[in-house]
Amino acid sequence: MPFFPAALETLIDKFASLPGIGRKSAQRLAFHMLALPEEEALAFANAITQAKQSVHCCKICQNLTEGEVCGICASDRRDKSTICVVSEPRDVLSIERGREYNGTYHVLHGVLSPMNHVGPDDIRIKELLVRAAEEPVEEVIMATNPDTEGEATAMYISRLLKPFHIKVTRLAYGIPVGSNLEFADDATLNRALEGRTEM
Amino acid sequence: MPFFPAALETLIDKFASLPGIGRKSAQRLAFHMLALPEEEALAFANAITQAKQSVHCCKICQNLTEGEVCGICASDRRDKSTICVVSEPRDVLSIERGREYNGTYHVLHGVLSPMNHVGPDDIRIKELLVRAAEEPVEEVIMATNPDTEGEATAMYISRLLKPFHIKVTRLAYGIPVGSNLEFADDATLNRALEGRTEM
């Protein structure tokens, strides 16, 4: 027997489908949403629709943007000869927070993961090779997460880049092994950038 | 400098405004939302709009419902002479889970809280007095949370009900004092229902 009206149950289900949100939290969030003033709740719904419809990938670096090209790729202050390859858009934020890196990025939107059926064609590797061929790239810094899949992805891409005679480096192991780029502190990330090693 | 597109920043802000969700979690949720297929993200937005627009209060017990009257008030299997007064709609679920209570409910949508400027007119006390006057009510069980504000609210309402010569009872202290109705286990809630005391 469902204790809540159907529309409320649906909303609870939706919240519970989000990562890291259990049934009880989903209930709290749904009740909170119902308790909000009408215009605020609709603004929330609208923010989802808007973000989904207006945010897409930068045609150069594949980072999320509302324009055709993202702010970093469009800026003439950034060093276009260095590309930092990360797996997720949030990793760009992590490295930007360090305020030390001045090159551009390439967002893969995932890592190679045979277990989850993610192969080379499922992430943005082709787009990186196009940049390596067409842009005056001197160095590619592999900044995927320092876990098995991230390492394998970095290794795979570094081999594909060999024919282009580009220097391929890897973030130094200043980052605690097995953890997540997102949670690294700024100082550690800076040290990892400074101590990058050729692969 | 905002690192994310404006629409994404807006969505992150919205998630971060929810109770119990910090900035990092909000980012994760927003990225998750962008990674969802278009129709699933729009279904999420739609669930919020739908719930907000179709869910309102039962005209009798003030619990959330999509109809004019909620399922419990509409059922002829429920004992209409007993009203269990709770502060939030989720508390109805907690008591229903025990499968022992067969009366109706009255949802206050809050508790008296002078600190937060919540007075008797801000919660659904008037509607309860109307029921006490018009329905054949024999007993009102006060099941507000066993904290200071819940106790004060129960006390306040029990005094207002005195002139109606209705038996007013309080959930027994089987519920751990200072905690929250929502997290009580079924057995504890059942014992609290059985051991209710007259006030």
Side-chain angles (χ1 to χ4, degrees):
Chain A
M1 170 186 169
F3 293 109
F4 299 124
L8 180 53
E9 285 282 350
T10 308
L11 185 58
I12 294 173
D13 287 345
K14 290 291 175 193
F15 273 117
S17 75
L18 296 178
I21 298 201
R23 192 84 199 155
K24 276 264 161 107
S25 302
Q27 275 177 23
R28 284 204 158 227
L29 294 176
F31 280 121
H32 174 84
M33 198 60 79
L34 285 182
L36 282 180
E38 176 107 10
E39 65 274 15
E40 272 183 53
L42 298 187
F44 199 113
N46 200 33
I48 295 175
T49 316
Q50 273 297 313
K52 195 66 197 167
Q53 285 172 346
S54 71
V55 176
H56 49 260
C57 294
C58 167
K59 70 171 185 174
I60 300 174
C61 75
Q62 312 297 322
N63 194 5
L64 297 173
T65 178
E66 285 179 291
E68 197 179 6
V69 167
C70 76
I72 293 174
C73 287
S75 165
D76 48 14
R77 285 171 164 189
R78 308 291 298 223
D79 172 14
K80 299 291 195 305
S81 67
T82 311
I83 298 177
C84 179
V85 178
V86 293
S87 59
E88 299 294 342
R90 60 174 175 259
D91 297 332
V92 172
L93 176 64
S94 298
I95 293 184
E96 284 296 290
R97 246 189 355 233
R99 291 165 198 278
E100 203 152 286
Y101 179 67
N102 194 39
T104 60
Y105 292 91
H106 190 85
V107 182
L108 295 173
H109 291 276
V111 281
L112 297 177
S113 173
M115 293 273 285
N116 300 314
H117 309 288
V118 180
D121 292 339
D122 300 317
I123 61 178
R124 312 290 169 93
I125 295 179
K126 242 184 327 217
E127 290 81 353
L128 177 62
L129 298 181
V130 170
R131 292 178 71 183
E134 295 179 355
E135 292 177 29
V137 182
E138 285 168 20
E139 178 175 358
V140 171
I141 305 171
M142 298 303 310
T144 48
N145 280 325
D147 53 19
T148 324
E149 293 177 342
E151 283 296 338
T153 308
M155 194 61 74
Y156 179 84
I157 293 177
S158 77
R159 283 191 195 144
L160 290 180
L161 288 172
K162 272 272 145 53
F164 296 98
H165 303 293
I166 291 168
K167 185 171 157 192
V168 181
T169 55
R170 179 90 176 100
L171 279 192
Y173 271 112
I175 329 157
V177 177
S179 87
N180 212 298
L181 249 199
E182 196 185 356
F183 302 117
D185 61 279
D186 306 356
T188 311
L189 263 172
N190 281 343
R191 224 159 301 139
L193 266 170
E194 280 159 21
R196 63 187 186 259
T197 53
E198 191 148 2
M199 58 194 288
Chain B
M1 171 184 171
F3 292 109
F4 299 124
L8 180 53
E9 285 284 350
T10 307
L11 185 57
I12 294 174
D13 287 345
K14 291 290 177 197
F15 274 116
S17 75
L18 297 177
I21 298 201
R23 192 84 200 157
K24 276 264 160 106
S25 302
Q27 275 177 22
R28 285 205 158 227
L29 294 175
F31 280 120
H32 174 83
M33 198 59 78
L34 285 183
L36 283 180
E38 175 107 12
E39 66 273 16
E40 272 184 53
L42 297 187
F44 198 114
N46 199 33
I48 295 175
T49 315
Q50 274 297 313
K52 195 65 198 170
Q53 286 172 346
S54 71
V55 177
H56 48 259
C57 293
C58 166
K59 71 170 185 174
I60 300 174
C61 75
Q62 312 297 322
N63 194 4
L64 297 173
T65 177
E66 285 178 291
E68 196 177 11
V69 166
C70 76
I72 293 174
C73 286
S75 164
D76 49 14
R77 286 172 162 185
R78 307 292 299 224
D79 172 13
K80 299 293 196 299
S81 68
T82 311
I83 297 178
C84 179
V85 177
V86 293
S87 59
E88 300 294 341
R90 59 174 176 259
D91 297 332
V92 172
L93 176 64
S94 298
I95 293 182
E96 284 296 288
R97 246 189 356 234
R99 291 165 197 281
E100 202 149 286
Y101 179 67
N102 195 38
T104 59
Y105 293 91
H106 189 86
V107 181
L108 296 173
H109 292 275
V111 281
L112 297 177
S113 173
M115 293 273 286
N116 300 313
H117 309 287
V118 180
D121 292 338
D122 300 317
I123 61 178
R124 313 292 170 92
I125 294 179
K126 242 182 327 213
E127 291 81 352
L128 177 63
L129 298 182
V130 170
R131 292 178 71 182
E134 294 179 357
E135 293 176 31
V137 182
E138 285 169 21
E139 178 176 358
V140 170
I141 305 172
M142 298 304 309
T144 48
N145 280 324
D147 52 20
T148 324
E149 293 176 344
E151 283 296 338
T153 308
M155 195 61 72
Y156 180 84
I157 292 175
S158 75
R159 284 195 193 143
L160 290 182
L161 288 172
K162 274 272 145 56
F164 296 97
H165 303 292
I166 292 169
K167 184 171 158 194
V168 181
T169 55
R170 179 88 178 101
L171 281 192
Y173 273 111
I175 329 158
V177 177
S179 85
N180 212 299
L181 250 198
E182 195 185 358
F183 303 116
D185 62 278
D186 306 355
T188 311
L189 264 170
N190 282 343
R191 224 158 302 137
L193 267 168
E194 280 160 21
R196 61 185 185 261
T197 53
E198 189 147 1
M199 57 195 289

